[in-house]
Amino acid sequence: MFDQLEEELLKKLPSLEEITIDVVRDLSASQHRYLDIRSGDLYNTSSVIEGNNLDLLAQAELNLNKKQWAVGSILPTKLDHISNRNDICLEWLNKQPPSSVLYISFGTTTSFSDREIKELAMGLELSKQKFIWVLRDVNRGDNFTGEDRRVELPEGFEERLKDVGLVVREWAPQPEILARMSTGGS
């Protein structure tokens, strides 16, 4: 199942009781009575994206004879209720050929060093791949020290790539971006 190193690492993780707020703990406790009657779990992901993690979950549930289903990524079927703004990035996407744009966003819990940001930028430039890169304030902070910093892209990056890519430094309408015909990958 797990090798020795993985077991040792798991033992070092803090217990949920140390890091969980009361509301979350109460919600979790209220769900326990239903665990025995469920057939398995649905995950809003793809086995292509998170196959290894899904395999680990399946191993953990093997003794309980429970299934794991990856049914994502799930996007709303009707997007007009999400945003009525005519966003610059949506206007830009509407001008691109079908399945030609790579959407890059690392979410709100990931931060990168200046070096990593510059390496990503250089890779995008060298790839000549059309892209939208959401690089928000959250990506500029250091999650470990709480320190704010301003990410600097390589000099002239945005100007050189204005016909190939778009860097979005504020909130971006992710469901609408992913639903556009021009978005080919994320």
Side-chain angles (χ1 to χ4, degrees):
M1 203 179 231
F2 292 106
D3 65 12
Q4 180 92 16
L5 178 60
E6 287 174 326
E7 286 184 28
E8 289 175 24
L9 290 173
L10 286 173
K11 288 177 186 175
K12 292 181 181 180
L13 289 175
S15 74
L16 288 177
E17 290 161 0
E18 294 173 15
I19 59 172
T20 306
I21 59 173
D22 291 337
V23 174
V24 174
R25 194 171 315 129
D26 292 345
L27 175 65
S28 178
S30 73
Q31 300 300 310
H32 277 280
R33 63 182 154 168
Y34 301 109
L35 291 178
D36 292 335
I37 62 171
R38 80 189 206 289
S39 296
D41 298 305
L42 298 175
Y43 295 96
N44 182 13
T45 188
S46 163
S47 58
V48 173
I49 297 170
E50 297 188 86
N52 291 340
N53 294 330
L54 290 168
D55 290 345
L56 285 173
L57 289 168
Q59 285 177 2
E61 296 284 342
L62 194 59
N63 296 342
L64 301 172
N65 200 24
K66 305 295 181 190
K67 302 268 186 197
Q68 310 297 318
W69 293 280
V71 295
S73 297
I74 299 173
L75 292 174
T77 56
K78 188 173 182 182
L79 296 173
D80 59 359
H81 69 283
I82 293 173
S83 171
N84 292 325
R85 320 184 320 163
N86 201 4
D87 202 283
I88 292 171
C89 62
L90 298 179
E91 289 176 16
W92 185 85
L93 273 172
N94 289 339
K95 297 174 186 172
Q96 308 308 315
S99 299
S100 65
V101 178
L102 179 65
Y103 174 63
I104 304 155
S105 176
F106 294 98
T108 57
T109 60
T110 304
S111 65
F112 294 98
S113 68
D114 289 337
R115 181 175 177 224
E116 289 168 323
I117 293 284
K118 287 180 181 177
E119 286 178 14
L120 281 166
M122 290 186 311
L124 284 170
E125 186 169 4
L126 292 172
S127 77
K128 297 181 173 54
Q129 170 66 50
K130 289 185 175 286
F131 67 89
I132 285 187
W133 184 6
V134 179
L135 187 60
R136 294 181 48 218
D137 288 340
V138 71
N139 303 115
R140 296 180 193 143
D142 185 331
N143 287 347
F144 300 105
T145 65
E147 180 181 312
D148 287 335
R149 62 184 169 82
R150 170 81 175 146
V151 170
E152 295 298 326
L153 292 169
E155 189 172 334
F157 175 81
E158 291 179 77
E159 179 61 30
R160 285 191 307 275
L161 297 178
K162 67 182 177 195
D163 296 326
V164 177
L166 181 66
V167 177
V168 178
R169 295 189 180 268
E170 301 301 327
W171 176 87
Q174 181 170 316
E176 288 133 313
I177 291 171
L178 293 172
R180 285 296 193 273
M181 292 299 295
S182 56
T183 305
S186 61

